[in-house]
Amino acid sequence: MRRVIQVENIKTFSSNSFRVIISLHLLFFILVLLSLSRIELSMGEFSVSRLFSFPALWEFFPWIASWFNLLLAVLIIVLTCNEFRYNTFRFQIMNGFHQGHLLAGKVYIMVVIALYALLLVILSGLVSGAIQQGGSGFSIHMSGFNHVGIYFLQTLAYMSLALFFAVLLRNNALAIVVFMLYLFPGEVILRKLLFSGVEAYFPAKLIGDLTPLPSLFTEQISLIPGADVQMSQQASNMLSLSQGAGFAVLYTLVFLTATYLILKNRSF
Amino acid sequence: MASESVLKINGLTKHYGNLKALDSLDMNVEQGTIYGLLGPNGSGKTTTLSIVMGILRQSSGKYYWFGREPDYRSRLKIGSLIEQPVFYPYLTLNDNLRLLARIRDVGDHDINHVLGTSNLLKRKYSRYKDLSSGLKQRLAIGATLLGDPQVLVLDEPTKSLDPEGFSDLREIIRKESDRGKTIVLASHILDEVEKVCTHVGILKSGSLVMEGRVKDILSGKEVVYVSVEDGDKAIRALSNCQLVEKYEEEQSGNFRILLKDNHTPADLNQYLFEKGVAVSRLVRQKNTLESEFLQLMK
């Protein structure tokens, strides 16, 4: 594993694709947080500023960060498909790696990226919480922090699905298009047309539901006449967080196993 | 005493759809030899080397490295260049070689030696993508030496090399062979193979049509081109001739004759004269790997 980590460190952190996409992720996440924090909106007990305060931010920030998981998944597709494009998976096999090493390298990078995203959410949360507390003294509220851990799991699950498409299709543009088509119209159509009743168990929905709309929002929306019925319908199509997390781990393992089997049976 | 087998191939077959690229190939490379794998384009050289280096799956058949079923650990003992140089284009030469050293699980101490061997020490911090194709090939050849592997597998290593590169490659092969390394060299530059290889295997349509020591293939045999007036009479005479290993009528009345060991063109001339065959032209030619190869390919 030491060899795998060293190899991945050398090739990934020098890659322009990695630097550019991570920079874009960082930039967009901060810009979105900054622009949302400037919205002055209040409805009854709800105000936008509460979303940027402890403890609500531990639910709100992972939800915002989950919008950008697509970018991280695209990064995994680009890093993996470039290995096929440059024939460097072949280079690694010829020189003494086996297919398990190739997968382990990509899983390591996925964990590094997910840790970066996790750290970004935690640091931005701490900064925002401190700013919102103003001069009243700084104390960290950890209630709801489990959403941050689940966000980490969600990031890994999205990236493992992306890795599967990358290894299956081997072409950057094709893998990105197919991955996006699966996430948006593809799985939605399957859920609605073919397998109604088990919607909550489909991978993209299940992984997406791990970071639901913050409860501060949903509580306010449910007060709007008619919206409460729709909200309860949506809630009935979702698994509990712990169930969802369990299935997300399962799906991650399934995607990684499928990826390994493709690598193992493929010529380079 | 028989030498230890480094690479043994048994009944290796590879299909690409309906095309049979390898057809029950058997091959044996002994330790310390320089084995030249010859064959025209599409004969299966690269397919064979790709399979034994683990990057292509065979349809059937087996191969053994160092007398064992192959796994990734056996590839750690082999430096290889298959088809074309492969490195990360955006990394410097130094980083590419550091990465290769990690894969091979060896230290960085060989990097300068590899760059020196490739005449690329001054380009150590250049990006790989900025090298010319000839320099990329030099780097790839040098990189096969990283970590001092026991075996070198080189597929068309002279591709893109200039004359100086050719000469340097020959020097590297000789030097590494003198150090006891086994080298498998696929090429269709027959002159190069004849100069450096100790053993040769000739592939045709995915099968090995000849295998042996270069010395044995070429030793003591002479090729004679003979023109006669009566071709039929000559054929009758040559069919029963003890001096001749094989003959072929290239055009009417024009023969290419391979003499058995230690027989001379003069002996053949005498024999044909005794059989009443009037010889109008007799030209002797040293038997080369090229002439053997071209005969086999007919």
Side-chain angles (χ1 to χ4, degrees):
Chain A
M1 196 59 195
R2 171 189 52 85
R3 287 159 63 207
V4 171
I5 289 172
Q6 288 174 336
V7 165
E8 288 300 322
N9 286 346
I10 294 171
K11 68 189 185 197
T12 306
F13 301 134
S14 304
S15 151
N16 275 341
S17 308
F18 178 83
R19 290 173 181 172
V20 169
I21 294 178
I22 288 293
S23 303
L24 284 176
H25 179 269
L26 181 69
L27 186 72
F28 282 128
F29 179 71
I30 291 172
L31 284 178
V32 166
L33 280 184
L34 285 175
S35 54
L36 287 175
S37 68
R38 286 169 184 258
I39 296 173
E40 288 178 9
L41 176 75
S42 52
M43 287 162 58
E45 288 182 11
F46 172 79
S47 70
V48 171
S49 64
R50 280 186 64 195
L51 292 168
F52 286 85
S53 309
F54 294 124
L57 63 81
W58 294 132
E59 202 178 353
F60 181 58
F61 279 33
W63 180 67
I64 296 288
S66 71
W67 301 356
F68 300 99
N69 279 339
L70 191 64
L71 212 50
L72 301 181
V74 165
L75 174 57
I76 284 296
I77 290 176
V78 170
L79 291 176
T80 308
C81 289
N82 277 349
E83 302 269 14
F84 290 108
R85 186 175 151 209
Y86 302 142
N87 274 328
T88 40
F89 269 159
R90 169 197 179 101
F91 167 79
Q92 291 170 66
I93 293 284
M94 273 165 50
N95 285 294
F97 268 6
H98 64 73
Q99 287 82 351
H101 286 129
L102 304 185
L103 178 65
K106 290 297 164 248
V107 171
Y108 162 70
I109 284 301
M110 279 162 44
V111 170
V112 168
I113 293 171
L115 282 173
Y116 144 78
L118 177 74
L119 202 65
L120 184 63
V121 168
I122 294 173
L123 286 178
S124 54
L126 290 174
V127 171
S128 173
I131 291 169
Q132 292 298 323
Q133 283 177 356
S136 62
F138 181 59
S139 62
I140 302 171
H141 298 262
M142 299 307 280
S143 100
F145 192 76
N146 61 324
H147 290 283
V148 179
I150 285 180
Y151 164 69
F152 174 76
L153 191 63
Q154 182 191 50
T155 316
L156 275 182
Y158 265 125
M159 286 192 286
S160 61
L161 179 61
L163 179 67
F164 168 74
F165 278 111
V167 169
L168 184 70
L169 300 168
R170 297 196 282 184
N171 175 289
N172 270 322
L174 187 64
I176 290 170
V177 168
V178 172
F179 176 69
M180 287 186 172
L181 284 177
Y182 176 76
L183 284 190
F184 301 118
E187 198 188 278
V188 176
I189 292 167
L190 279 178
R191 288 201 309 253
K192 296 292 176 201
L193 294 181
L194 300 174
F195 299 102
S196 57
V198 287
E199 285 180 25
Y201 296 93
F202 274 76
K205 171 161 173 52
L206 185 146
I207 296 166
D209 286 349
L210 288 176
T211 48
L213 209 59
S215 48
L216 258 183
F217 262 149
T218 52
E219 284 160 12
Q220 288 305 312
I221 293 169
S222 63
L223 296 176
I224 300 168
D228 54 340
V229 180
Q230 206 180 342
M231 296 290 293
S232 65
Q233 271 176 349
Q234 271 189 354
S236 70
N237 281 337
M238 284 171 66
L239 300 175
S240 70
L241 265 190
S242 56
Q243 275 181 323
F247 275 104
V249 170
L250 196 67
Y251 269 123
T252 303
L253 293 176
V254 168
F255 297 143
L256 294 180
T257 308
T259 304
Y260 176 70
L261 291 175
I262 295 170
L263 284 172
K264 190 150 180 56
N265 292 298
R266 174 156 278 172
S267 292
F268 293 90
Chain B
M1 199 177 81
S3 298
E4 199 179 320
S5 173
V6 167
L7 171 63
K8 191 165 179 57
I9 296 176
N10 289 339
L12 208 60
T13 300
K14 175 69 186 173
H15 294 277
Y16 292 108
N18 292 328
L19 179 78
K20 204 179 229 185
L22 287 183
D23 187 5
S24 292
L25 176 71
D26 293 320
M27 197 175 118
N28 187 35
V29 179
E30 290 174 358
Q31 183 159 10
T33 57
I34 308 176
Y35 189 103
L37 190 58
L38 294 175
N41 292 334
S43 59
K45 300 185 299 292
T46 299
T47 301
T48 305
L49 298 184
S50 297
I51 290 172
V52 299
M53 289 314 299
I55 52 176
L56 188 64
R57 291 170 67 82
Q58 69 266 45
S59 305
S60 62
K62 288 199 162 191
Y63 63 95
Y64 304 89
W65 277 110
F66 312 104
R68 292 179 180 180
E69 293 261 356
D71 69 0
Y72 72 96
R73 280 176 290 258
S74 50
R75 293 197 294 272
L76 290 171
K77 300 177 196 166
I78 307 163
S80 60
L81 163 60
I82 308 287
E83 267 190 312
Q84 58 188 10
V86 175
F87 291 99
Y88 287 87
Y90 56 86
L91 292 181
T92 62
L93 307 196
N94 185 52
D95 282 344
N96 267 302
L97 293 174
R98 274 177 59 225
L99 189 143
L100 180 58
R102 301 296 177 278
I103 296 172
R104 294 239 183 108
D105 205 14
V106 296
D108 289 347
H109 49 271
D110 266 359
I111 289 178
N112 281 349
H113 168 68
V114 164
L115 289 170
T117 306
S118 312
N119 270 341
L120 286 167
L121 209 46
K122 285 181 187 165
R123 305 290 298 268
K124 187 173 180 177
Y125 298 105
S126 298
R127 284 177 198 271
Y128 174 73
K129 66 180 176 189
D130 295 334
L131 297 185
S132 69
S133 55
L135 294 183
K136 285 176 180 170
Q137 188 75 2
R138 274 176 172 272
L139 178 69
I141 292 166
T144 61
L145 304 174
L146 193 78
D148 200 19
Q150 294 175 28
V151 181
L152 300 181
V153 174
L154 305 169
D155 179 23
E156 304 289 359
T158 50
K159 209 187 278 178
S160 309
L161 289 183
D162 56 16
E164 191 192 351
F166 258 63
S167 164
D168 289 348
L169 173 66
R170 206 180 304 144
E171 191 55 36
I172 289 170
I173 290 174
R174 287 213 174 110
K175 212 161 118 187
E176 295 302 321
S177 175
D178 289 346
R179 294 179 62 225
K181 282 198 172 76
T182 307
I183 298 163
V184 181
L185 174 72
S187 179
H188 44 220
I189 302 183
L190 303 164
D191 186 42
E192 279 304 307
V193 171
E194 190 176 325
K195 277 179 187 158
V196 298
C197 291
T198 58
H199 290 66
V200 69
I202 299 179
L203 274 174
K204 183 182 179 184
S205 307
S207 296
L208 208 60
V209 289
M210 181 186 271
E211 187 178 40
R213 292 160 65 95
V214 173
K215 210 163 62 176
D216 293 343
I217 291 169
L218 303 178
S219 70
K221 290 177 185 168
E222 287 200 75
V223 178
V224 183
Y225 290 90
V226 173
S227 300
V228 297
E229 284 169 6
D230 187 343
D232 293 339
K233 202 172 185 179
I235 289 171
R236 283 196 297 277
L238 291 170
S239 302
N240 300 314
C241 180
Q242 299 299 312
L243 312 172
V244 172
E245 186 164 307
K246 63 180 179 185
Y247 71 91
E248 185 190 4
E249 189 171 16
E250 294 187 318
Q251 286 172 353
S252 178
N254 291 300
F255 292 85
R256 178 188 183 275
I257 300 166
L258 180 67
L259 295 177
K260 285 184 179 168
D261 289 356
N262 305 322
H263 291 293
T264 64
D267 297 337
L268 177 69
N269 196 24
Q270 176 69 28
Y271 172 80
L272 290 173
F273 177 75
E274 284 167 6
K275 293 288 177 185
V277 179
V279 174
S280 58
R281 186 181 73 109
L282 189 148
V283 179
R284 66 191 292 184
Q285 193 184 62
K286 185 179 171 288
N287 191 23
T288 61
L289 205 49
E290 186 173 349
S291 60
E292 278 293 325
F293 178 81
L294 292 174
Q295 279 304 307
L296 285 166
M297 290 305 125
K298 277 185 180 169

